[in-house]
């Protein structure tokens, strides 16, 4: 996302040849609270600083707004905000905005740049057509699961379309004319089978299915577990953006985030930790504290020779990165 954020800042700063902006507002939606919470806004602030140095002009007043769900650890986030006020960096005014990004978060026409990394695959809710009709997203019986797969996929796809369309409409209201947005989320390539579910969600289901067979979790609870997550294809994303109409697509990139990673790191424990980081809160809420058993089952699943390599090869991890301009 870094080069796309830098390009967006350059575009915002270069629109007028006679007067540079005196105020810029940047928002990160889904900032989380760990070491990466300030990564995207820090890139943007540094890009603004570098651009103004070229023109030997005073830096603008920069507002940085960080959003995540209300239960996010904003105390830790606020403590780390001091790093944005170092040295000769632009004047930075910071704030937090707890809330769901499928709702209005900011005042109309206030945002210049919106960033969101690895967050928009989370849906506002599990598909209602599944939950209301008690259609399991997963099933212990493999034959029944495969038969139901197209119905489940369609339900998740429609929920994502509804949520992402709403997200675009809301952000368009909050952005200035010509505002920019750079987002990334896990998904799939357009040439992957449409019947394939989100890879991470499918991997989670396989692990939980083993835990059901071993008696760790209840079968009925497993079949009533709906993870509100969907990974669209790049073409899905393009169609939704074009149909909604609030933004122009500047650039779209599709890449494997595991490319270039040292193979020595690709061990069962690393994948187990990744799965825990993504799914622990929602799993504990539904099944209770079974994470020790979950970790053991996950590592055991991939401890057989060749199993991890087969998992990686058969389920490519794809990240979609999109740069948008408000129409």
């Amino acid at each position: 996302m870094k080069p796309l954020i830098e390009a967006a800042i350059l575009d915002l700063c270069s629109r007028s040849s006679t007067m540079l902006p005196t105020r810029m507002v940047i928002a990160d939606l889904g900032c989380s609270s760990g070491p990466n919470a300030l990564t995207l806004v820090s890139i943007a602030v540094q890009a603004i600083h570098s651009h103004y140095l070229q023109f030997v002009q005073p830096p603008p007043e920069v507002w940085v707004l960080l959003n995540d769900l209300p239960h996010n650890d904003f105390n830790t986030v606020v403590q780390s905000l001091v790093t944005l006020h170092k040295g000769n960096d632009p004047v930075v005014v910071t704030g937090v905005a707890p809330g769901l990004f499928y709702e209005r978060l900011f005042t109309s026409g206030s945002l210049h740049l919106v960033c969101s990394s690895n967050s928009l695959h989370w849906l506002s809710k599990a598909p209602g057509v599944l939950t209301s009709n008690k259609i399991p997203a997963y099933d212990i019986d493999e034959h029944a699961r495969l038969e139901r797969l197209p119905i489940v996929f369609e339900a998740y796809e429609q929920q994502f379309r509804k949520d992402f369309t709403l997200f675009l409409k809301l952000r368009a209201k909050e952005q200035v004319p010509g505002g920019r947005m750079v987002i990334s989320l896990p998904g799939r390539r357009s040439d992957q089978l449409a019947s394939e579910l989100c890879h991470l969600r499918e991997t989670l289901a396989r692990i939980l299915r083993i835990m059901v067979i071993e008696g760790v979790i209840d079968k009925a609870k497993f079949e009533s577990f709906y993870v509100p997550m969907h990974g669209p294809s790049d073409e899905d994303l393009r169609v939704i953006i074009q149909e909604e109409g609030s933004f122009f697509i500047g650039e779209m990139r599709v890449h494997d985030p595991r490319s270039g990673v040292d193979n020595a790191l690709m061990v069962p424990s690393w994948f187990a930790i990744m799965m825990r980081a993504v799914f622990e809160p929602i799993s504990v809420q539904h099944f209770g504290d079974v994470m020790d058993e979950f970790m053991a089952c996950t590592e055991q699943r991939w401890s057989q020779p060749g199993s991890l390599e087969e998992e990686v090869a058969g389920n490519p991890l794809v990240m979609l990165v999109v740069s948008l301009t408000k129409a």
Side-chain angles (χ1 to χ4, degrees):
M1 296 177 71
K2 185 174 185 290
L4 297 186
I5 291 173
E6 291 171 339
I9 290 295
L10 181 62
D11 176 57
L12 288 165
C13 290
S14 303
R15 287 211 182 128
S16 171
S17 58
T18 57
M19 183 178 294
L20 294 170
T22 58
R23 182 178 72 94
M24 295 190 72
V25 183
I26 302 162
D28 182 352
L29 308 187
C31 66
S32 191
S33 61
N36 294 330
L38 301 183
T39 298
L40 301 185
V41 294
S42 296
I43 293 169
V45 169
Q46 183 57 47
I48 294 170
H49 187 213
S50 298
H51 184 78
Y52 276 71
L53 281 176
Q54 294 179 27
F55 292 89
V56 196
Q57 290 198 13
E61 182 178 76
V62 180
W63 290 64
V64 170
L65 304 171
L66 302 174
N67 155 263
D68 212 307
L69 295 173
H71 60 255
N72 186 54
D73 183 6
F74 282 109
N75 287 332
T76 299
V77 174
V78 170
Q79 290 172 24
S80 65
L81 286 173
V82 295
T83 61
L84 292 177
H85 298 269
K86 289 183 177 179
N88 296 319
D89 283 352
V91 176
V92 178
V93 179
T94 54
V96 296
L100 193 68
F101 49 50
Y102 297 120
E103 300 171 350
R104 279 293 299 272
L105 294 167
F106 309 105
T107 55
S108 298
S110 62
L111 304 179
H112 293 81
L113 174 66
V114 172
C115 300
S116 181
S117 174
N118 208 27
S119 298
L120 282 165
H121 57 290
W122 291 109
L123 305 173
S124 64
K125 62 177 183 178
V129 68
L130 300 181
T131 55
S132 61
N133 295 306
K134 297 184 179 179
I135 300 173
Y138 318 109
D139 200 295
I140 292 295
D141 182 87
E142 185 70 9
H143 178 72
R145 188 189 75 85
L146 291 174
E147 276 194 341
R148 196 180 291 118
L149 195 58
I151 298 172
V152 173
F153 179 83
E154 177 67 19
Y156 273 95
E157 190 175 49
Q158 289 303 315
Q159 185 64 50
F160 177 83
R161 174 180 289 272
K162 178 181 177 181
D163 285 344
F164 190 62
T165 297
L166 177 60
F167 176 86
L168 294 172
K169 289 183 183 297
L170 295 174
R171 303 295 80 81
K173 290 179 181 178
E174 295 167 347
Q175 286 202 287
V176 299
R180 297 296 302 269
M181 185 152 61
V182 179
I183 60 174
S184 73
L185 69 160
R188 59 184 176 84
R189 298 182 186 275
S190 294
D191 56 1
Q192 286 180 257
L193 293 177
S195 60
E196 292 178 359
L197 288 176
C198 175
H199 162 52
L200 287 177
R201 199 171 71 235
E202 273 288 276
T203 301
L204 173 67
R206 293 190 190 103
I207 295 167
L208 294 175
R209 192 179 294 119
I210 294 171
M211 294 173 68
V212 172
I213 294 171
E214 293 178 350
V216 177
I217 59 178
D218 181 69
K219 179 177 179 290
K221 278 199 168 185
F222 171 70
E223 293 183 349
S224 64
F225 187 47
Y226 303 92
V227 180
M229 169 191 282
H230 181 72
S233 72
D234 52 321
E235 186 59 27
D236 293 337
L237 217 55
R238 188 181 302 277
V239 168
I240 296 170
I241 293 167
Q242 291 174 343
E243 287 183 350
E244 194 279 327
S246 295
F247 293 88
F248 296 119
I249 299 173
E251 186 172 355
M252 183 178 293
R253 299 183 180 185
V254 182
H255 71 100
D256 182 352
R258 292 181 299 214
S259 62
V261 176
D262 187 348
N263 287 335
L265 298 175
M266 298 290 189
V267 295
S269 59
W270 185 87
F271 276 86
I273 290 170
M274 180 189 72
M275 293 293 292
R276 181 171 193 162
V278 175
F279 292 114
E280 179 169 16
I282 194 169
S283 297
V284 168
Q285 183 181 15
H286 190 79
F287 298 108
D289 190 3
V290 295
M291 294 314 296
D292 288 343
E293 294 86 347
F294 177 86
M295 292 291 285
C297 185
T298 304
E299 291 193 39
Q300 183 179 6
R301 171 180 169 78
W302 289 321
S303 63
Q304 301 301 318
S307 61
L308 189 54
E309 292 78 4
E310 183 179 345
E311 174 80 19
V312 172
N315 298 284
L317 185 57
V318 172
M319 290 297 293
L320 309 178
V321 184
V322 190
S323 178
L324 302 169
T325 302
K326 181 180 173 182

